[in-house]
Amino acid sequence: MMHIGVDPAQRGKVSEVFRDAAAAGLSVCRTWAFSDGGYQALQVSPGVYDERVFQALDFVVSEAKRYGIRLILTLANNFQDFGGKAQYVQWAKDAGQWVSGEDDFYTNSVVKNYYKNHIKKVLTRYNAITNVVYKDDPTIMAWELINEPRCQVDYSGKTVHAWVEEMAAYTKSIDNNHLLDIGMEGFYGDSMPEKKQYNPGYQVGTDFITSNLLNNIDFATIHAYPDVWLSGQSEADQTAWTQRWMWSHWDDASKILKKPIVFAEFGKSDKDPGFSVTARDNFMSTIYRNVYNFAKSSDGTFGGGLVWQLMAEGMENYYDGYEIILSQNPSTAGLITRQSNVMASLSQLLN
């Protein structure tokens, strides 16, 4: 959203996404508040920001407000898209730091200070369109520390957990009004070995339970890409696994974490063998049905689901196979609208 908005001539696409989403009853959008190094970077180098790009993020926030959408703004990326943790580590290396790999993002003091500076820069940003500082803006629902943290040098989850603990405390020291989540996919770590049976056969260096128990973390998230994580398995097996994944984490949120949980990413890629819109709609229907049933049976512990990812026409440069253009996909748009309506009704009922 921010990237597209850098060019004023393209900003109509940002508006289109919000307009179509609002028309479908969607109320929350998760989008990036980072772009580190590279083309149209927000953070050009440590502590150096491109004002044009920041103004694009200002526009995203203002348009969300205009269409009644709340934002989850993510502050960094595990992966190299738009820079990611690899860019932070490269910056430290360029500054003379000895680094052994990109997972030094979690432990190197110089890198951690770069990241803290970014947190502070974004949270204290004055939006010239809305005339509101980000940390005071109710349009922003939550901050998210990092998209899908992973750590290959420590699969236990302890390294990532220590980083989350430090960064969550720092974020809350600047802004204690907004909700905060980590950005995890939901992989279980070493603290509760009996939970590992729900992982898709491996660990990624996070501990869903331990880190989401932190007082500074307000709600938990899960993601699911069975088409990637269980590649080669049947559609039925992938769907069954996803339902177990949802049940397990809903159960954790209800009984152990005692916090809300959001299904923050799911989708089906048109690059998958045998893809069809019908197959995607069926997968989404299963997830939506489970989200609704879990939310209904637990007084709203399951807060909702965010499909990956809605786009506007003319955003082909950003397509990754999971894109959904509501105006071009009437069956999917109808599915999303129905889910939005039943969740809104449930919300009123529970409140």
Side-chain angles (χ1 to χ4, degrees):
M1 300 281 265
M2 177 180 69
H3 235 232
I4 280 282
V6 174
D7 179 358
Q10 301 291 314
R11 287 187 174 179
K13 293 171 184 173
V14 173
S15 305
E16 183 184 329
V17 172
F18 283 133
R19 185 173 61 247
D20 290 352
L26 293 173
S27 56
V28 176
C29 167
R30 175 174 170 264
T31 191
W32 301 158
F34 66 84
S35 182
D36 305 305
Y39 176 64
Q40 285 189 176
L42 172 62
Q43 187 174 195
V44 180
S45 59
V48 179
Y49 288 78
D50 187 329
E51 178 59 21
R52 291 178 317 127
V53 184
F54 239 140
Q55 288 172 7
L57 187 56
D58 291 346
F59 178 75
V60 170
V61 174
S62 70
E63 286 298 276
K65 179 182 180 181
R66 180 180 165 200
Y67 286 101
I69 305 274
R70 297 293 178 91
L71 297 172
I72 299 173
L73 292 181
T74 309
L75 296 165
N77 200 6
N78 176 74
F79 305 103
Q80 293 186 14
D81 307 83
F82 302 103
K85 65 185 184 188
Q87 178 64 77
Y88 274 94
V89 172
Q90 185 61 48
W91 280 334
K93 187 177 180 181
D94 292 345
Q97 287 286 303
W98 185 89
V99 294
S100 57
E102 64 179 51
D103 284 334
D104 284 15
F105 175 82
Y106 300 114
T107 54
N108 182 281
S109 59
V110 170
V111 176
K112 288 195 291 183
N113 283 332
Y114 289 163
Y115 174 74
K116 284 180 178 177
N117 179 73
H118 181 65
I119 293 174
K120 187 174 183 179
K121 190 78 175 180
V122 173
L123 272 58
T124 59
R125 167 73 179 181
Y126 172 77
N127 188 326
I129 303 174
T130 62
N131 297 314
V132 180
V133 175
Y134 283 19
K135 70 184 182 71
D136 300 324
D137 195 336
T139 300
I140 298 166
M141 177 186 127
W143 303 110
E144 182 169 276
L145 292 178
I146 181 171
N147 174 53
E148 301 188 340
R150 293 184 170 194
C151 180
Q152 292 184 314
V153 299
D154 178 10
Y155 284 123
S156 73
K158 290 176 182 175
T159 297
V160 169
H161 176 74
W163 180 87
V164 169
E165 188 168 26
E166 180 178 349
M167 299 309 168
Y170 182 74
T171 304
K172 288 287 189 176
S173 75
I174 298 171
D175 176 6
N176 202 31
N177 292 322
H178 283 98
L179 299 172
L180 180 64
D181 80 279
I182 302 166
M184 282 187 176
E185 300 158 279
F187 286 83
Y188 294 105
D190 285 1
S191 68
M192 297 184 74
E194 68 276 16
K195 295 283 184 182
K196 293 183 188 180
Q197 63 178 306
Y198 297 106
N199 285 345
Y202 52 90
Q203 293 173 237
V204 299
T206 59
D207 191 314
F208 174 81
I209 299 290
T210 304
S211 294
N212 280 298
L213 277 170
L214 289 167
N215 287 335
N216 284 322
I217 299 302
D218 298 302
F219 65 95
T221 61
I222 57 169
H223 299 181
Y225 290 102
D227 55 340
V228 177
W229 299 353
L230 302 171
S231 179
Q233 293 194 21
S234 70
E235 191 88 25
D237 286 346
Q238 290 181 8
T239 301
W241 176 85
T242 305
Q243 290 179 273
R244 287 193 302 274
W245 188 245
M246 293 178 73
W247 173 85
S248 175
H249 290 87
W250 164 72
D251 194 53
D252 296 336
S254 299
K255 296 175 182 174
I256 302 173
L257 304 178
K258 303 189 187 308
K259 296 177 182 181
I261 186 166
V262 173
F263 203 158
E265 273 192 46
F266 62 92
K268 185 172 277 292
S269 174
D270 62 17
K271 297 173 183 175
D272 293 343
F275 171 86
S276 68
V277 171
T278 301
R280 182 180 67 194
D281 287 353
N282 288 340
F283 178 66
M284 289 175 62
S285 290
T286 300
I287 287 176
Y288 280 157
R289 187 170 60 251
N290 278 274
V291 167
Y292 177 81
N293 288 337
F294 287 139
K296 188 177 182 182
S297 64
S298 61
D299 290 341
T301 296
F302 217 117
L306 292 90
V307 69
W308 180 268
Q309 60 176 329
L310 297 189
M311 291 198 174
E313 294 180 28
M315 291 177 67
E316 288 82 1
N317 289 347
Y318 298 90
Y319 286 5
D320 62 354
Y322 293 91
E323 67 283 343
I324 297 171
I325 296 90
L326 291 173
S327 60
Q328 296 176 0
N329 292 269
S331 65
T332 310
L335 180 67
I336 291 171
T337 302
R338 287 191 295 276
Q339 178 72 1
S340 298
N341 291 337
V342 298
M343 290 296 285
S345 298
L346 180 62
S347 178
Q348 291 176 341
L349 195 67
L350 294 176
N351 289 336

